[in-house]
Each structure stands twice: as structure tokens, then as C-alpha cells.
Amino acid sequence: MDIIIRNEEQKDFRNVEYLTREAFWNLYVPGCDEHYLVHKMRDHQDFVKELDFVAVLNDQIIGNIMYTKSYLINSQNIRIETLTFGPLCILPKFQRLGVGTKLINHTVNIAKNNKIPAIIIYGDPHNYVKHGFKNGIDYNISDPYGKYPYGLLVLKLDDNSLNDDKWTIHCSDVFNINPKEAEEFDKNFPFKEKKWQYSQELFSMTCRAILQK
């Protein structure tokens, strides 16, 4: 596929919100709120506009990746600035064709050139280990509660940036979505039925899974 990777433009906003809704609808919960997150993220102080990219095929936007600022703090209160991506979304009919890989590789190279020490996300390891991500426990990186969630994943970009100390990850508060606001925002889109599917139970298990040292 002859895919073009370029920065998202204002004229793309509604198309990106639509494809995000299509990608996540009923995947993790009945319905979804990721399209509202995308909408909200663009005006947030932690949004990294330079790393907001779309994948275009034959003039159609089929994928998108967005980044926000995050940071690590260790026991000596040393702070390291990091990045977090998400949502990463691909239109369903183009999933598993390497579009997400192109978006990840493109933005990871930019992050490396900008001397970012690590990219840290919450996601399904099945999707990201192939890109070099490891669990936070492998780098002594926990969530703010001192736990090591199964889905806390780290892509280390600088071998000299993290020592053997214990770190905690702090992501942007933009991810704290108000359910009522998300529900109201969804009314701007065509009706889609909310329903249960087995991927929601898998997601619930992943969110509750904690690794032990």
C-alpha cells in the first residue's frame, strides 16, 4: 500500500474523530470515548502537536497517532521527561496490515532525534512487544501507586537515561474523561449500537493484571 504519513491538519479533525470511533467502538467497553479524548487532547497543554500524524491512502485518512507529554520521577525526586502515545487507531478494514507499525516507526524516529529517553504507554503487550516495548517492571518503572500493571509498557530510546533506581510514571490528566461529556459529544456522530463483545472481558482482565517482582 502506498501510504503517506503526514501531520494532522485542522481540516482532518472530524475525519480523525470518526475513524477513532470506528476503531474503538465496543472494543473495550460498550461504545467508546476515545474519539472524545482525541477531540479534547488537541487543546490540552500536554498535547505534542508535532507528533500528531495521520496515515493517508488514496486521499483517505485510515490511521492516526497522537502523543502527550509524560514524566518519570525517582526516589530522589529526579524528573525525566518522557512521551506517551495514544490513541493509536486504524480503520478496522485496514488493521493488521502494517499501518500502525508505520505510524509508530515514524514517530519513534522523531522522538529519538529529539533525545526523548523513553516512550511509555498503557496498552496490550501483544500489540507492542514486537516494536521493542517491555513491561515497566523490567526498568523498575511502576504506576503512581507503586504497582506494575501488565499493560504498562516502556520503549527505552536512550541507554544512558535510566539507572537502577525505582521510577514512577505520571501521564497527562487529559486521559481523565468525563463520561457525561463523552456521551454528549458522541451525539454529534451517526448512531451506533452499544453492545457487549468478548474483547471487553479480555480488556478488563488486562487492566486488573499486576506483575510481581
Side-chain angles (χ1 to χ4, degrees):
M1 293 189 296
D2 188 14
I3 295 175
I4 296 172
I5 305 295
R6 63 165 174 79
N7 283 111
E8 184 191 36
E9 302 173 6
Q10 187 170 358
K11 64 183 176 64
D12 304 321
F13 286 2
R14 179 57 58 160
N15 286 338
V16 169
E17 290 160 7
Y18 173 80
L19 83 85
T20 304
R21 186 176 186 250
E22 292 295 304
F24 287 98
W25 194 261
N26 292 331
L27 181 62
Y28 298 141
V29 297
C32 74
D33 60 15
E34 281 82 1
H35 54 313
Y36 177 59
L37 171 61
V38 164
H39 176 77
K40 182 181 176 184
M41 188 179 289
R42 297 189 188 102
D43 293 324
H44 196 276
Q45 62 184 1
D46 294 329
F47 178 55
V48 184
K49 183 177 180 180
E50 296 77 13
L51 287 172
D52 176 16
F53 283 91
V54 294
V56 182
L57 177 65
N58 299 328
D59 296 324
Q60 179 187 10
I61 295 176
I62 64 171
N64 170 246
I65 190 168
M66 302 176 78
Y67 279 77
T68 49
K69 299 174 184 176
S70 55
Y71 62 92
L72 295 169
I73 289 184
N74 70 3
S75 58
Q76 284 78 46
N77 285 324
I78 295 173
R79 173 167 167 157
I80 294 179
E81 303 299 324
T82 57
L83 290 173
T84 295
F85 69 68
L88 167 62
C89 54
I90 312 299
L91 277 175
K93 70 178 181 179
F94 295 103
Q95 292 175 3
R96 308 301 176 188
L97 296 176
V99 181
T101 295
K102 289 181 180 294
L103 287 166
I104 291 172
N105 289 344
H106 184 80
T107 52
V108 165
N109 286 334
I110 294 174
K112 285 181 179 178
N113 290 336
N114 289 335
K115 309 301 181 183
I116 301 299
I119 295 172
I120 304 175
I121 65 172
Y122 286 90
D124 187 341
H126 291 88
N127 295 329
Y128 297 108
V129 169
K130 64 183 177 182
H131 297 294
F133 282 83
K134 295 184 178 182
N135 189 269
I137 200 170
D138 297 316
Y139 299 114
N140 289 318
I141 297 173
S142 71
D143 68 12
Y145 307 102
K147 297 182 179 181
Y148 300 94
Y150 173 70
L152 175 57
L153 306 175
V154 179
L155 180 62
K156 191 174 180 181
L157 303 181
D158 177 5
D159 291 336
N160 300 317
S161 61
L162 299 176
N163 54 34
D164 293 330
D165 205 344
K166 183 177 181 180
W167 302 85
T168 58
I169 178 63
H170 298 267
C171 296
S172 173
D173 63 6
V174 73
F175 295 101
N176 299 329
I177 296 295
N178 183 310
K180 290 184 179 179
E181 291 179 359
E183 188 73 24
E184 193 64 28
F185 179 74
D186 189 63
K187 294 178 181 178
N188 296 307
F189 296 82
F191 173 79
K192 288 177 72 70
E193 182 183 1
K194 295 181 180 181
K195 59 184 180 180
W196 181 91
Q197 59 186 36
Y198 75 88
S199 60
Q200 296 168 19
E201 186 62 30
L202 291 172
F203 177 69
S204 177
M205 291 178 183
T206 298
C207 289
R208 289 177 287 164
I210 301 294
L211 299 189
Q212 301 294 328
K213 289 182 75 71

